[in-house]
Amino acid sequence: MAAKKVNKEQLKSEHEGKLIELYNTYYKKCLDGDTASLKAFLDCSKELFADSEENELLRMVQNAQIGE
């Protein structure tokens, strides 16, 4: 099972690298005036940054103190 976990982590890392490549590609196309790439850029942005945004929200909720 440990091998599967390592493989999954490797795939996750590779996936993130591919998303970064797509993000940069779509960004350059948008800057060059390719308006059709804007939706793909925004979708890629949402996927790429979703984990960090969710983790930040979770961290804020966990650190919040409930008043008495």
Side-chain angles (χ1 to χ4, degrees), residues 3-38:
K4 286 184 181 181
K5 187 172 185 176
V6 170
N7 190 30
K8 184 177 179 181
E9 291 301 316
Q10 180 181 357
L11 288 173
K12 186 176 180 179
S13 177
E14 289 174 6
H15 178 68
E16 187 173 80
K18 291 173 185 177
L19 282 174
I20 292 170
E21 286 180 43
L22 286 171
Y23 176 89
N24 289 329
T25 298
Y26 289 131
Y27 179 73
K28 288 176 187 174
K29 287 184 175 194
C30 287
L31 290 180
D32 290 338
D34 182 0
T35 57
S37 295
L38 181 59

PDB file of all heavy atoms in Angstrom, residues 3-38:
ATOM      1  N   ALA A   3       3.537   1.805  -1.625  1.00  0.00           N
ATOM      2  CA  ALA A   3       3.925   2.119  -2.994  1.00  0.00           C
ATOM      3  C   ALA A   3       2.820   2.878  -3.719  1.00  0.00           C
ATOM      4  O   ALA A   3       3.093   3.785  -4.497  1.00  0.00           O
ATOM      5  CB  ALA A   3       4.272   0.845  -3.752  1.00  0.00           C
ATOM      6  N   LYS A   4       1.570   2.526  -3.455  1.00  0.00           N
ATOM      7  CA  LYS A   4       0.451   3.217  -4.080  1.00  0.00           C
ATOM      8  C   LYS A   4       0.366   4.655  -3.589  1.00  0.00           C
ATOM      9  O   LYS A   4       0.069   5.557  -4.348  1.00  0.00           O
ATOM     10  CB  LYS A   4      -0.865   2.490  -3.793  1.00  0.00           C
ATOM     11  CG  LYS A   4      -1.029   1.217  -4.569  1.00  0.00           C
ATOM     12  CD  LYS A   4      -2.380   0.595  -4.322  1.00  0.00           C
ATOM     13  CE  LYS A   4      -2.517  -0.695  -5.104  1.00  0.00           C
ATOM     14  NZ  LYS A   4      -3.825  -1.313  -4.908  1.00  0.00           N
ATOM     15  N   LYS A   5       0.647   4.869  -2.306  1.00  0.00           N
ATOM     16  CA  LYS A   5       0.592   6.206  -1.752  1.00  0.00           C
ATOM     17  C   LYS A   5       1.677   7.079  -2.363  1.00  0.00           C
ATOM     18  O   LYS A   5       1.442   8.223  -2.721  1.00  0.00           O
ATOM     19  CB  LYS A   5       0.739   6.172  -0.231  1.00  0.00           C
ATOM     20  CG  LYS A   5       0.534   7.512   0.416  1.00  0.00           C
ATOM     21  CD  LYS A   5       0.495   7.417   1.909  1.00  0.00           C
ATOM     22  CE  LYS A   5       0.163   8.772   2.502  1.00  0.00           C
ATOM     23  NZ  LYS A   5       0.027   8.724   3.935  1.00  0.00           N
ATOM     24  N   VAL A   6       2.881   6.516  -2.501  1.00  0.00           N
ATOM     25  CA  VAL A   6       3.977   7.256  -3.132  1.00  0.00           C
ATOM     26  C   VAL A   6       3.613   7.571  -4.573  1.00  0.00           C
ATOM     27  O   VAL A   6       3.803   8.686  -5.038  1.00  0.00           O
ATOM     28  CB  VAL A   6       5.297   6.451  -3.057  1.00  0.00           C
ATOM     29  CG1 VAL A   6       6.368   7.094  -3.908  1.00  0.00           C
ATOM     30  CG2 VAL A   6       5.748   6.320  -1.616  1.00  0.00           C
ATOM     31  N   ASN A   7       3.041   6.623  -5.271  1.00  0.00           N
ATOM     32  CA  ASN A   7       2.640   6.823  -6.650  1.00  0.00           C
ATOM     33  C   ASN A   7       1.584   7.915  -6.758  1.00  0.00           C
ATOM     34  O   ASN A   7       1.641   8.759  -7.642  1.00  0.00           O
ATOM     35  CB  ASN A   7       2.125   5.514  -7.256  1.00  0.00           C
ATOM     36  CG  ASN A   7       1.922   5.618  -8.751  1.00  0.00           C
ATOM     37  OD1 ASN A   7       2.611   6.362  -9.441  1.00  0.00           O
ATOM     38  ND2 ASN A   7       0.969   4.876  -9.255  1.00  0.00           N
ATOM     39  N   LYS A   8       0.624   7.901  -5.839  1.00  0.00           N
ATOM     40  CA  LYS A   8      -0.433   8.914  -5.845  1.00  0.00           C
ATOM     41  C   LYS A   8       0.154  10.296  -5.589  1.00  0.00           C
ATOM     42  O   LYS A   8      -0.220  11.269  -6.236  1.00  0.00           O
ATOM     43  CB  LYS A   8      -1.491   8.579  -4.790  1.00  0.00           C
ATOM     44  CG  LYS A   8      -2.664   9.520  -4.804  1.00  0.00           C
ATOM     45  CD  LYS A   8      -3.710   9.090  -3.794  1.00  0.00           C
ATOM     46  CE  LYS A   8      -4.871  10.064  -3.789  1.00  0.00           C
ATOM     47  NZ  LYS A   8      -5.887   9.688  -2.808  1.00  0.00           N
ATOM     48  N   GLU A   9       1.090  10.392  -4.654  1.00  0.00           N
ATOM     49  CA  GLU A   9       1.736  11.671  -4.365  1.00  0.00           C
ATOM     50  C   GLU A   9       2.540  12.154  -5.570  1.00  0.00           C
ATOM     51  O   GLU A   9       2.561  13.341  -5.883  1.00  0.00           O
ATOM     52  CB  GLU A   9       2.624  11.568  -3.127  1.00  0.00           C
ATOM     53  CG  GLU A   9       1.856  11.384  -1.840  1.00  0.00           C
ATOM     54  CD  GLU A   9       0.879  12.514  -1.572  1.00  0.00           C
ATOM     55  OE1 GLU A   9       1.240  13.690  -1.761  1.00  0.00           O
ATOM     56  OE2 GLU A   9      -0.270  12.221  -1.167  1.00  0.00           O
ATOM     57  N   GLN A  10       3.202  11.234  -6.247  1.00  0.00           N
ATOM     58  CA  GLN A  10       3.970  11.588  -7.439  1.00  0.00           C
ATOM     59  C   GLN A  10       3.034  12.101  -8.532  1.00  0.00           C
ATOM     60  O   GLN A  10       3.316  13.112  -9.174  1.00  0.00           O
ATOM     61  CB  GLN A  10       4.759  10.390  -7.947  1.00  0.00           C
ATOM     62  CG  GLN A  10       5.581  10.692  -9.185  1.00  0.00           C
ATOM     63  CD  GLN A  10       6.332   9.476  -9.695  1.00  0.00           C
ATOM     64  OE1 GLN A  10       6.291   8.407  -9.102  1.00  0.00           O
ATOM     65  NE2 GLN A  10       7.012   9.632 -10.813  1.00  0.00           N
ATOM     66  N   LEU A  11       1.922  11.407  -8.737  1.00  0.00           N
ATOM     67  CA  LEU A  11       0.950  11.832  -9.746  1.00  0.00           C
ATOM     68  C   LEU A  11       0.360  13.196  -9.405  1.00  0.00           C
ATOM     69  O   LEU A  11       0.160  14.037 -10.277  1.00  0.00           O
ATOM     70  CB  LEU A  11      -0.166  10.800  -9.898  1.00  0.00           C
ATOM     71  CG  LEU A  11       0.224   9.505 -10.592  1.00  0.00           C
ATOM     72  CD1 LEU A  11      -0.926   8.506 -10.533  1.00  0.00           C
ATOM     73  CD2 LEU A  11       0.638   9.768 -12.024  1.00  0.00           C
ATOM     74  N   LYS A  12       0.089  13.411  -8.112  1.00  0.00           N
ATOM     75  CA  LYS A  12      -0.451  14.696  -7.675  1.00  0.00           C
ATOM     76  C   LYS A  12       0.535  15.816  -7.967  1.00  0.00           C
ATOM     77  O   LYS A  12       0.158  16.879  -8.448  1.00  0.00           O
ATOM     78  CB  LYS A  12      -0.777  14.637  -6.183  1.00  0.00           C
ATOM     79  CG  LYS A  12      -1.461  15.861  -5.658  1.00  0.00           C
ATOM     80  CD  LYS A  12      -1.839  15.689  -4.194  1.00  0.00           C
ATOM     81  CE  LYS A  12      -2.518  16.946  -3.687  1.00  0.00           C
ATOM     82  NZ  LYS A  12      -2.909  16.816  -2.285  1.00  0.00           N
ATOM     83  N   SER A  13       1.797  15.560  -7.699  1.00  0.00           N
ATOM     84  CA  SER A  13       2.839  16.551  -7.965  1.00  0.00           C
ATOM     85  C   SER A  13       2.956  16.827  -9.464  1.00  0.00           C
ATOM     86  O   SER A  13       3.072  17.980  -9.885  1.00  0.00           O
ATOM     87  CB  SER A  13       4.173  16.060  -7.413  1.00  0.00           C
ATOM     88  OG  SER A  13       5.196  16.968  -7.719  1.00  0.00           O
ATOM     89  N   GLU A  14       2.938  15.774 -10.268  1.00  0.00           N
ATOM     90  CA  GLU A  14       3.005  15.932 -11.717  1.00  0.00           C
ATOM     91  C   GLU A  14       1.793  16.699 -12.239  1.00  0.00           C
ATOM     92  O   GLU A  14       1.916  17.537 -13.127  1.00  0.00           O
ATOM     93  CB  GLU A  14       3.103  14.567 -12.398  1.00  0.00           C
ATOM     94  CG  GLU A  14       4.434  13.889 -12.191  1.00  0.00           C
ATOM     95  CD  GLU A  14       4.462  12.477 -12.737  1.00  0.00           C
ATOM     96  OE1 GLU A  14       3.481  12.034 -13.387  1.00  0.00           O
ATOM     97  OE2 GLU A  14       5.475  11.784 -12.511  1.00  0.00           O
ATOM     98  N   HIS A  15       0.633  16.400 -11.683  1.00  0.00           N
ATOM     99  CA  HIS A  15      -0.599  17.084 -12.089  1.00  0.00           C
ATOM    100  C   HIS A  15      -0.489  18.577 -11.813  1.00  0.00           C
ATOM    101  O   HIS A  15      -0.837  19.403 -12.661  1.00  0.00           O
ATOM    102  CB  HIS A  15      -1.795  16.487 -11.340  1.00  0.00           C
ATOM    103  CG  HIS A  15      -3.096  17.145 -11.640  1.00  0.00           C
ATOM    104  ND1 HIS A  15      -3.713  17.059 -12.865  1.00  0.00           N
ATOM    105  CD2 HIS A  15      -3.903  17.918 -10.863  1.00  0.00           C
ATOM    106  CE1 HIS A  15      -4.839  17.748 -12.839  1.00  0.00           C
ATOM    107  NE2 HIS A  15      -4.978  18.282 -11.637  1.00  0.00           N
ATOM    108  N   GLU A  16       0.013  18.922 -10.647  1.00  0.00           N
ATOM    109  CA  GLU A  16       0.181  20.332 -10.309  1.00  0.00           C
ATOM    110  C   GLU A  16       1.155  21.010 -11.277  1.00  0.00           C
ATOM    111  O   GLU A  16       0.921  22.133 -11.717  1.00  0.00           O
ATOM    112  CB  GLU A  16       0.668  20.478  -8.874  1.00  0.00           C
ATOM    113  CG  GLU A  16       0.701  21.924  -8.430  1.00  0.00           C
ATOM    114  CD  GLU A  16       1.023  22.047  -6.957  1.00  0.00           C
ATOM    115  OE1 GLU A  16       2.214  21.961  -6.616  1.00  0.00           O
ATOM    116  OE2 GLU A  16       0.076  22.209  -6.167  1.00  0.00           O
ATOM    117  N   GLY A  17       2.223  20.316 -11.637  1.00  0.00           N
ATOM    118  CA  GLY A  17       3.178  20.867 -12.607  1.00  0.00           C
ATOM    119  C   GLY A  17       2.529  21.111 -13.963  1.00  0.00           C
ATOM    120  O   GLY A  17       2.773  22.133 -14.607  1.00  0.00           O
ATOM    121  N   LYS A  18       1.684  20.189 -14.377  1.00  0.00           N
ATOM    122  CA  LYS A  18       0.978  20.340 -15.654  1.00  0.00           C
ATOM    123  C   LYS A  18      -0.010  21.500 -15.591  1.00  0.00           C
ATOM    124  O   LYS A  18      -0.166  22.244 -16.563  1.00  0.00           O
ATOM    125  CB  LYS A  18       0.264  19.044 -16.018  1.00  0.00           C
ATOM    126  CG  LYS A  18       1.239  17.937 -16.382  1.00  0.00           C
ATOM    127  CD  LYS A  18       0.522  16.615 -16.582  1.00  0.00           C
ATOM    128  CE  LYS A  18       1.525  15.504 -16.824  1.00  0.00           C
ATOM    129  NZ  LYS A  18       0.879  14.194 -16.958  1.00  0.00           N
ATOM    130  N   LEU A  19      -0.684  21.649 -14.454  1.00  0.00           N
ATOM    131  CA  LEU A  19      -1.607  22.776 -14.295  1.00  0.00           C
ATOM    132  C   LEU A  19      -0.860  24.108 -14.375  1.00  0.00           C
ATOM    133  O   LEU A  19      -1.362  25.067 -14.962  1.00  0.00           O
ATOM    134  CB  LEU A  19      -2.352  22.684 -12.961  1.00  0.00           C
ATOM    135  CG  LEU A  19      -3.508  21.710 -12.896  1.00  0.00           C
ATOM    136  CD1 LEU A  19      -4.047  21.636 -11.473  1.00  0.00           C
ATOM    137  CD2 LEU A  19      -4.613  22.115 -13.855  1.00  0.00           C
ATOM    138  N   ILE A  20       0.321  24.151 -13.803  1.00  0.00           N
ATOM    139  CA  ILE A  20       1.127  25.379 -13.866  1.00  0.00           C
ATOM    140  C   ILE A  20       1.503  25.688 -15.302  1.00  0.00           C
ATOM    141  O   ILE A  20       1.433  26.838 -15.745  1.00  0.00           O
ATOM    142  CB  ILE A  20       2.364  25.258 -12.962  1.00  0.00           C
ATOM    143  CG1 ILE A  20       1.933  25.240 -11.493  1.00  0.00           C
ATOM    144  CG2 ILE A  20       3.358  26.387 -13.222  1.00  0.00           C
ATOM    145  CD1 ILE A  20       3.029  24.879 -10.516  1.00  0.00           C
ATOM    146  N   GLU A  21       1.873  24.650 -16.056  1.00  0.00           N
ATOM    147  CA  GLU A  21       2.200  24.847 -17.474  1.00  0.00           C
ATOM    148  C   GLU A  21       0.982  25.383 -18.233  1.00  0.00           C
ATOM    149  O   GLU A  21       1.103  26.314 -19.039  1.00  0.00           O
ATOM    150  CB  GLU A  21       2.654  23.532 -18.104  1.00  0.00           C
ATOM    151  CG  GLU A  21       4.039  23.106 -17.709  1.00  0.00           C
ATOM    152  CD  GLU A  21       4.432  21.796 -18.370  1.00  0.00           C
ATOM    153  OE1 GLU A  21       4.159  21.627 -19.574  1.00  0.00           O
ATOM    154  OE2 GLU A  21       4.999  20.946 -17.664  1.00  0.00           O
ATOM    155  N   LEU A  22      -0.185  24.781 -18.001  1.00  0.00           N
ATOM    156  CA  LEU A  22      -1.408  25.242 -18.663  1.00  0.00           C
ATOM    157  C   LEU A  22      -1.737  26.674 -18.265  1.00  0.00           C
ATOM    158  O   LEU A  22      -2.093  27.499 -19.112  1.00  0.00           O
ATOM    159  CB  LEU A  22      -2.587  24.329 -18.326  1.00  0.00           C
ATOM    160  CG  LEU A  22      -2.589  22.968 -18.996  1.00  0.00           C
ATOM    161  CD1 LEU A  22      -3.697  22.097 -18.405  1.00  0.00           C
ATOM    162  CD2 LEU A  22      -2.766  23.122 -20.496  1.00  0.00           C
ATOM    163  N   TYR A  23      -1.632  26.959 -16.991  1.00  0.00           N
ATOM    164  CA  TYR A  23      -1.886  28.311 -16.471  1.00  0.00           C
ATOM    165  C   TYR A  23      -1.021  29.329 -17.215  1.00  0.00           C
ATOM    166  O   TYR A  23      -1.519  30.344 -17.713  1.00  0.00           O
ATOM    167  CB  TYR A  23      -1.590  28.323 -14.974  1.00  0.00           C
ATOM    168  CG  TYR A  23      -1.716  29.664 -14.303  1.00  0.00           C
ATOM    169  CD1 TYR A  23      -2.931  30.076 -13.786  1.00  0.00           C
ATOM    170  CD2 TYR A  23      -0.617  30.508 -14.169  1.00  0.00           C
ATOM    171  CE1 TYR A  23      -3.063  31.303 -13.150  1.00  0.00           C
ATOM    172  CE2 TYR A  23      -0.737  31.733 -13.542  1.00  0.00           C
ATOM    173  CZ  TYR A  23      -1.951  32.128 -13.030  1.00  0.00           C
ATOM    174  OH  TYR A  23      -2.067  33.345 -12.406  1.00  0.00           O
ATOM    175  N   ASN A  24       0.272  29.044 -17.319  1.00  0.00           N
ATOM    176  CA  ASN A  24       1.193  29.965 -18.007  1.00  0.00           C
ATOM    177  C   ASN A  24       0.883  30.079 -19.493  1.00  0.00           C
ATOM    178  O   ASN A  24       0.923  31.180 -20.060  1.00  0.00           O
ATOM    179  CB  ASN A  24       2.639  29.515 -17.801  1.00  0.00           C
ATOM    180  CG  ASN A  24       3.111  29.736 -16.385  1.00  0.00           C
ATOM    181  OD1 ASN A  24       2.677  30.660 -15.708  1.00  0.00           O
ATOM    182  ND2 ASN A  24       4.007  28.879 -15.922  1.00  0.00           N
ATOM    183  N   THR A  25       0.537  28.962 -20.117  1.00  0.00           N
ATOM    184  CA  THR A  25       0.214  28.970 -21.549  1.00  0.00           C
ATOM    185  C   THR A  25      -1.030  29.800 -21.828  1.00  0.00           C
ATOM    186  O   THR A  25      -1.044  30.653 -22.720  1.00  0.00           O
ATOM    187  CB  THR A  25       0.010  27.530 -22.060  1.00  0.00           C
ATOM    188  OG1 THR A  25       1.232  26.809 -21.880  1.00  0.00           O
ATOM    189  CG2 THR A  25      -0.386  27.516 -23.529  1.00  0.00           C
ATOM    190  N   TYR A  26      -2.090  29.543 -21.055  1.00  0.00           N
ATOM    191  CA  TYR A  26      -3.333  30.294 -21.257  1.00  0.00           C
ATOM    192  C   TYR A  26      -3.157  31.770 -20.931  1.00  0.00           C
ATOM    193  O   TYR A  26      -3.727  32.634 -21.588  1.00  0.00           O
ATOM    194  CB  TYR A  26      -4.480  29.702 -20.428  1.00  0.00           C
ATOM    195  CG  TYR A  26      -4.954  28.357 -20.942  1.00  0.00           C
ATOM    196  CD1 TYR A  26      -5.112  27.287 -20.073  1.00  0.00           C
ATOM    197  CD2 TYR A  26      -5.238  28.154 -22.290  1.00  0.00           C
ATOM    198  CE1 TYR A  26      -5.552  26.053 -20.536  1.00  0.00           C
ATOM    199  CE2 TYR A  26      -5.672  26.932 -22.760  1.00  0.00           C
ATOM    200  CZ  TYR A  26      -5.828  25.886 -21.875  1.00  0.00           C
ATOM    201  OH  TYR A  26      -6.266  24.674 -22.337  1.00  0.00           O
ATOM    202  N   TYR A  27      -2.349  32.058 -19.935  1.00  0.00           N
ATOM    203  CA  TYR A  27      -2.087  33.454 -19.574  1.00  0.00           C
ATOM    204  C   TYR A  27      -1.413  34.190 -20.736  1.00  0.00           C
ATOM    205  O   TYR A  27      -1.828  35.290 -21.101  1.00  0.00           O
ATOM    206  CB  TYR A  27      -1.211  33.509 -18.319  1.00  0.00           C
ATOM    207  CG  TYR A  27      -0.872  34.912 -17.885  1.00  0.00           C
ATOM    208  CD1 TYR A  27      -1.828  35.720 -17.289  1.00  0.00           C
ATOM    209  CD2 TYR A  27       0.406  35.433 -18.082  1.00  0.00           C
ATOM    210  CE1 TYR A  27      -1.527  37.009 -16.886  1.00  0.00           C
ATOM    211  CE2 TYR A  27       0.708  36.730 -17.689  1.00  0.00           C
ATOM    212  CZ  TYR A  27      -0.254  37.515 -17.096  1.00  0.00           C
ATOM    213  OH  TYR A  27       0.054  38.793 -16.714  1.00  0.00           O
ATOM    214  N   LYS A  28      -0.405  33.572 -21.320  1.00  0.00           N
ATOM    215  CA  LYS A  28       0.291  34.188 -22.462  1.00  0.00           C
ATOM    216  C   LYS A  28      -0.663  34.387 -23.633  1.00  0.00           C
ATOM    217  O   LYS A  28      -0.635  35.422 -24.299  1.00  0.00           O
ATOM    218  CB  LYS A  28       1.488  33.332 -22.882  1.00  0.00           C
ATOM    219  CG  LYS A  28       2.630  33.385 -21.901  1.00  0.00           C
ATOM    220  CD  LYS A  28       3.746  32.449 -22.298  1.00  0.00           C
ATOM    221  CE  LYS A  28       4.796  32.385 -21.208  1.00  0.00           C
ATOM    222  NZ  LYS A  28       5.825  31.380 -21.509  1.00  0.00           N
ATOM    223  N   LYS A  29      -1.524  33.397 -23.884  1.00  0.00           N
ATOM    224  CA  LYS A  29      -2.483  33.509 -24.988  1.00  0.00           C
ATOM    225  C   LYS A  29      -3.462  34.654 -24.738  1.00  0.00           C
ATOM    226  O   LYS A  29      -3.816  35.392 -25.661  1.00  0.00           O
ATOM    227  CB  LYS A  29      -3.234  32.198 -25.197  1.00  0.00           C
ATOM    228  CG  LYS A  29      -2.391  31.120 -25.830  1.00  0.00           C
ATOM    229  CD  LYS A  29      -3.217  29.879 -26.097  1.00  0.00           C
ATOM    230  CE  LYS A  29      -2.380  28.861 -26.838  1.00  0.00           C
ATOM    231  NZ  LYS A  29      -3.201  27.796 -27.418  1.00  0.00           N
ATOM    232  N   CYS A  30      -3.902  34.799 -23.491  1.00  0.00           N
ATOM    233  CA  CYS A  30      -4.811  35.901 -23.153  1.00  0.00           C
ATOM    234  C   CYS A  30      -4.136  37.243 -23.392  1.00  0.00           C
ATOM    235  O   CYS A  30      -4.746  38.165 -23.934  1.00  0.00           O
ATOM    236  CB  CYS A  30      -5.246  35.810 -21.696  1.00  0.00           C
ATOM    237  SG  CYS A  30      -6.408  34.479 -21.355  1.00  0.00           S
ATOM    238  N   LEU A  31      -2.890  37.352 -22.985  1.00  0.00           N
ATOM    239  CA  LEU A  31      -2.155  38.604 -23.186  1.00  0.00           C
ATOM    240  C   LEU A  31      -1.965  38.920 -24.667  1.00  0.00           C
ATOM    241  O   LEU A  31      -1.909  40.089 -25.048  1.00  0.00           O
ATOM    242  CB  LEU A  31      -0.787  38.547 -22.496  1.00  0.00           C
ATOM    243  CG  LEU A  31      -0.804  38.575 -20.977  1.00  0.00           C
ATOM    244  CD1 LEU A  31       0.629  38.507 -20.445  1.00  0.00           C
ATOM    245  CD2 LEU A  31      -1.500  39.814 -20.446  1.00  0.00           C
ATOM    246  N   ASP A  32      -1.886  37.874 -25.484  1.00  0.00           N
ATOM    247  CA  ASP A  32      -1.736  38.054 -26.931  1.00  0.00           C
ATOM    248  C   ASP A  32      -3.062  38.336 -27.619  1.00  0.00           C
ATOM    249  O   ASP A  32      -3.117  38.460 -28.844  1.00  0.00           O
ATOM    250  CB  ASP A  32      -1.079  36.817 -27.561  1.00  0.00           C
ATOM    251  CG  ASP A  32       0.386  36.684 -27.178  1.00  0.00           C
ATOM    252  OD1 ASP A  32       1.007  37.699 -26.789  1.00  0.00           O
ATOM    253  OD2 ASP A  32       0.917  35.555 -27.265  1.00  0.00           O
ATOM    254  N   GLY A  33      -4.149  38.401 -26.845  1.00  0.00           N
ATOM    255  CA  GLY A  33      -5.442  38.764 -27.404  1.00  0.00           C
ATOM    256  C   GLY A  33      -6.363  37.608 -27.700  1.00  0.00           C
ATOM    257  O   GLY A  33      -7.432  37.800 -28.289  1.00  0.00           O
ATOM    258  N   ASP A  34      -5.985  36.408 -27.342  1.00  0.00           N
ATOM    259  CA  ASP A  34      -6.828  35.241 -27.579  1.00  0.00           C
ATOM    260  C   ASP A  34      -7.906  35.176 -26.494  1.00  0.00           C
ATOM    261  O   ASP A  34      -7.709  34.608 -25.424  1.00  0.00           O
ATOM    262  CB  ASP A  34      -5.988  33.973 -27.572  1.00  0.00           C
ATOM    263  CG  ASP A  34      -6.781  32.716 -27.870  1.00  0.00           C
ATOM    264  OD1 ASP A  34      -8.013  32.808 -28.083  1.00  0.00           O
ATOM    265  OD2 ASP A  34      -6.179  31.632 -27.898  1.00  0.00           O
ATOM    266  N   THR A  35      -9.051  35.774 -26.776  1.00  0.00           N
ATOM    267  CA  THR A  35     -10.114  35.857 -25.775  1.00  0.00           C
ATOM    268  C   THR A  35     -10.724  34.485 -25.467  1.00  0.00           C
ATOM    269  O   THR A  35     -11.271  34.295 -24.394  1.00  0.00           O
ATOM    270  CB  THR A  35     -11.227  36.823 -26.222  1.00  0.00           C
ATOM    271  OG1 THR A  35     -11.731  36.388 -27.501  1.00  0.00           O
ATOM    272  CG2 THR A  35     -10.695  38.235 -26.340  1.00  0.00           C
ATOM    273  N   ALA A  36     -10.608  33.537 -26.364  1.00  0.00           N
ATOM    274  CA  ALA A  36     -11.146  32.196 -26.132  1.00  0.00           C
ATOM    275  C   ALA A  36     -10.373  31.478 -25.023  1.00  0.00           C
ATOM    276  O   ALA A  36     -10.899  30.562 -24.395  1.00  0.00           O
ATOM    277  CB  ALA A  36     -11.105  31.372 -27.417  1.00  0.00           C
ATOM    278  N   SER A  37      -9.139  31.891 -24.764  1.00  0.00           N
ATOM    279  CA  SER A  37      -8.325  31.254 -23.730  1.00  0.00           C
ATOM    280  C   SER A  37      -8.657  31.742 -22.331  1.00  0.00           C
ATOM    281  O   SER A  37      -8.220  31.140 -21.351  1.00  0.00           O
ATOM    282  CB  SER A  37      -6.840  31.506 -24.002  1.00  0.00           C
ATOM    283  OG  SER A  37      -6.455  30.881 -25.200  1.00  0.00           O
ATOM    284  N   LEU A  38      -9.428  32.802 -22.213  1.00  0.00           N
ATOM    285  CA  LEU A  38      -9.717  33.369 -20.904  1.00  0.00           C
ATOM    286  C   LEU A  38     -10.460  32.382 -20.006  1.00  0.00           C
ATOM    287  O   LEU A  38     -10.098  32.194 -18.846  1.00  0.00           O
ATOM    288  CB  LEU A  38     -10.508  34.665 -21.031  1.00  0.00           C
ATOM    289  CG  LEU A  38     -10.850  35.358 -19.718  1.00  0.00           C
ATOM    290  CD1 LEU A  38      -9.593  35.700 -18.932  1.00  0.00           C
ATOM    291  CD2 LEU A  38     -11.684  36.600 -19.965  1.00  0.00           C
TER     292      LEU A  38
END
